């Protein structure tokens, strides 16, 4: 099976920092893609369109704003049920080496931006309050002639967005190939164990014993630090890993099912449809329907 994800070659040159495209169009027609640089994408007047970021798929409303900071994370905005003939899209692509050891983004003035950029490796969708906060700046940034002031305007936008803690991570960490993390060493230890034993029969008693806690206490502790029940987290990790296998390999659905720790094919299909909105075969076809040779 030929992989159908376009690796986009962006217009930025070696000494360029950012690129802004402000366009009005009648439809979304660009294929699913990924690229080396980061992207902040704003869309308005496109209710009914579908945003796909990694293994997350959502139908958007009148306004949508997403930040993607991973070079490997596939994404696309699809026409789906959008009836608008006047879609407005502002795309900002930029280089920002925020993970370098000596980057200023690890210092206090930029700390909130750094944390947001790390979260956005899975794709980040912003709430309406955040969109309205920066909308005017997004609509005007393409008209700024001075490159320095344009760059400063981008940082202003990123800073304002970084204040919104209710921005939602989109793709699962396993699909986005993001390392697991936690503010708790106990939770991190369990997360790492789950990731390396994804096809094992993982039991609450076994995992709680790893960190010296009773099953009841650990269950509450895990929910407190992750916002998810342990069983929900395990299913999400397995489904993300399965979705990545569907995109990156030619392995059969049944092979992927067993290798990712699901006990029956019917249960795998049911959970996949419930979380991803389609069955595994449909998910694979969606990613591979556009054949592009680079």
């Amino acid at each position: 099976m030929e992989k159908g994800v376009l690796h986009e070659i962006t217009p930025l040159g070696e000494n360029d920092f950012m690129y802004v495209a402000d366009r009005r169009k009648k439809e979304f027609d660009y294929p699913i893609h990924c690229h080396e640089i980061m992207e902040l994408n704003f869309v308005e007047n496109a209710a009914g369109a579908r945003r796909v970021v990694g293994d997350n798929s959502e139908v958007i409303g009148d306004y949508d704003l997403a930040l993607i900071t991973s070079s490997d994370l596939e994404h696309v905005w699809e026409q789906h049920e959008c009836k608008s003939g006047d879609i407005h899209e502002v795309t900002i692509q930029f280089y920002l080496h925020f993970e370098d050891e000596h980057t200023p983004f690890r210092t206090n003035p930029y700390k909130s931006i750094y944390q947001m950029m790390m979260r956005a490796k899975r794709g980040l969708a912003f709430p309406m309050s955040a969109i309205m906060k920066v909308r005017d700046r997004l609509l005007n940034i393409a008209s700024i002639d001075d490159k320095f002031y344009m760059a400063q305007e981008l940082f202003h936008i990123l800073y304002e967005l970084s204040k919104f803690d209710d921005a939602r991570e989109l793709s699962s960490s396993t699909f986005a190939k993001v390392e697991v993390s936690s503010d708790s060493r106990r939770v991190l230890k369990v997360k790492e164990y789950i990731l390396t034993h994804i096809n094992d029969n993982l039991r609450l008693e076994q995992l709680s014993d790893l960190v010296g806690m009773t099953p009841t206490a650990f269950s509450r502790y895990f929910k407190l630090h992750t916002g998810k029940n342990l069983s929900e987290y395990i299913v999400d990790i397995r489904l993300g890993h399965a979705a990545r296998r569907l995109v990156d390999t030619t392995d059969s659905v049944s092979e992927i099912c067993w290798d990712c720790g699901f006990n029956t094919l019917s249960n795998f299909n049911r959970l996949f449809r419930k979380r991803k909105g389609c069955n595994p075969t449909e998910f694979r076809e969606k990613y591979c329907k556009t054949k592009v040779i680079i």
Side-chain angles (χ1 to χ4, degrees), residues 252-265:
S252 69
V253 172
S254 59
E255 282 181 283
I256 293 171
C257 166
W258 312 132
D259 289 348
C260 292
F262 294 96
N263 51 8
T264 67
L265 188 57

Side-chain angles (χ1 to χ4, degrees), residues 2 4 19 60-61 87 91 98 105 121 130 134 147-148 158 170 188 200 232 251 255 270:
E2 186 180 0
Y19 159 77
I60 67 173
I87 299 166
T91 303
F98 67 96
F105 290 96
K121 293 174 76 172
V134 300
K147 293 181 180 180
F148 176 84
L158 293 175
L170 297 174
L188 181 59
D200 291 354
E232 293 175 342
D251 297 342
E255 282 181 283
R270 179 182 63 81

Side-chain angles (χ1 to χ4, degrees), residues 9-22:
I9 305 300
T10 68
L12 290 180
E14 181 180 354
N15 296 317
D16 295 327
F17 168 65
M18 62 183 290
Y19 159 77
V20 180
D22 187 330

Side-chain angles (χ1 to χ4, degrees), residues 239-278:
L239 287 176
H241 189 66
R244 176 49 69 187
R245 287 271 300 274
L246 287 166
V247 173
D248 288 350
T249 76
T250 58
D251 297 342
S252 69
V253 172
S254 59
E255 282 181 283
I256 293 171
C257 166
W258 312 132
D259 289 348
C260 292
F262 294 96
N263 51 8
T264 67
L265 188 57
S266 61
N267 186 48
F268 173 54
N269 284 323
R270 179 182 63 81
L271 288 170
F272 199 98
R273 178 179 287 280
K274 181 179 179 181
R275 303 292 179 92
K276 310 298 181 187
C278 60

Side-chain angles (χ1 to χ4, degrees), residues 92-277:
I92 305 173
Q93 296 181 337
F94 56 99
Y95 286 113
L96 198 60
H97 301 292
F98 67 96
E99 291 189 87
D100 291 352
E101 183 179 356
H102 300 296
T103 177
F105 290 96
R106 291 180 181 265
T107 62
N108 287 330
Y110 298 96
K111 187 175 182 180
S112 62
I113 295 179
Y114 172 78
Q115 292 172 337
M116 178 182 70
M117 302 294 277
M118 289 296 292
R119 293 181 63 205
K121 293 174 76 172
R122 294 171 54 180
L124 209 57
F126 294 94
M128 185 61 67
S129 54
I131 296 173
M132 291 298 103
K133 180 73 174 180
V134 300
R135 178 176 179 268
D136 288 347
R137 293 183 179 275
L138 289 167
L139 296 181
N140 294 327
I141 192 169
S143 64
I144 299 175
D145 294 327
D146 189 292
K147 293 181 180 180
F148 176 84
Y149 289 121
M150 179 182 282
Q152 293 307 303
E153 186 71 349
L154 172 61
F155 284 122
H156 197 141
I157 291 169
L158 293 175
Y159 176 65
E160 292 297 336
L161 292 175
S162 72
K163 297 177 183 179
F164 290 85
D165 295 332
D166 51 346
R168 294 182 296 107
E169 294 167 356
L170 297 174
S171 179
S172 65
S173 59
T174 39
F175 189 93
K177 304 176 185 176
V178 175
E179 292 184 5
V180 294
S181 61
S182 176
D183 58 356
S184 163
R185 281 182 289 182
R186 287 174 170 174
V187 170
L188 181 59
K189 183 176 182 179
V190 169
K191 282 185 173 183
E192 290 174 340
Y193 184 88
I194 291 170
L195 201 58
T196 55
H197 296 79
I198 195 169
N199 60 345
D200 291 354
N201 180 23
L202 298 168
R203 295 177 293 105
L204 172 59
E205 294 78 10
Q206 169 197 13
L207 297 175
S208 60
D209 190 54
L210 279 176
V211 291
M213 299 178 69
T214 66
T216 302
F218 179 70
S219 183
R220 288 196 298 263
Y221 187 81
F222 189 88
K223 177 71 176 291
L224 177 66
H225 284 270
T226 66
K228 292 183 179 181
N229 294 324
L230 180 62
S231 58
E232 293 175 342
Y233 177 80
I234 293 173
V235 168
D236 285 347
I237 290 295
R238 285 174 168 165
L239 287 176
H241 189 66
R244 176 49 69 187
R245 287 271 300 274
L246 287 166
V247 173
D248 288 350
T249 76
T250 58
D251 297 342
S252 69
V253 172
S254 59
E255 282 181 283
I256 293 171
C257 166
W258 312 132
D259 289 348
C260 292
F262 294 96
N263 51 8
T264 67
L265 188 57
S266 61
N267 186 48
F268 173 54
N269 284 323
R270 179 182 63 81
L271 288 170
F272 199 98
R273 178 179 287 280
K274 181 179 179 181
R275 303 292 179 92
K276 310 298 181 187

Side-chain angles (χ1 to χ4, degrees), residues 34-50:
C34 60
H35 39 68
E36 296 296 330
I37 60 179
M38 300 167 191
E39 178 174 298
L40 181 66
N41 200 57
F42 168 72
V43 179
E44 64 178 354
N45 198 27
R50 178 166 53 200

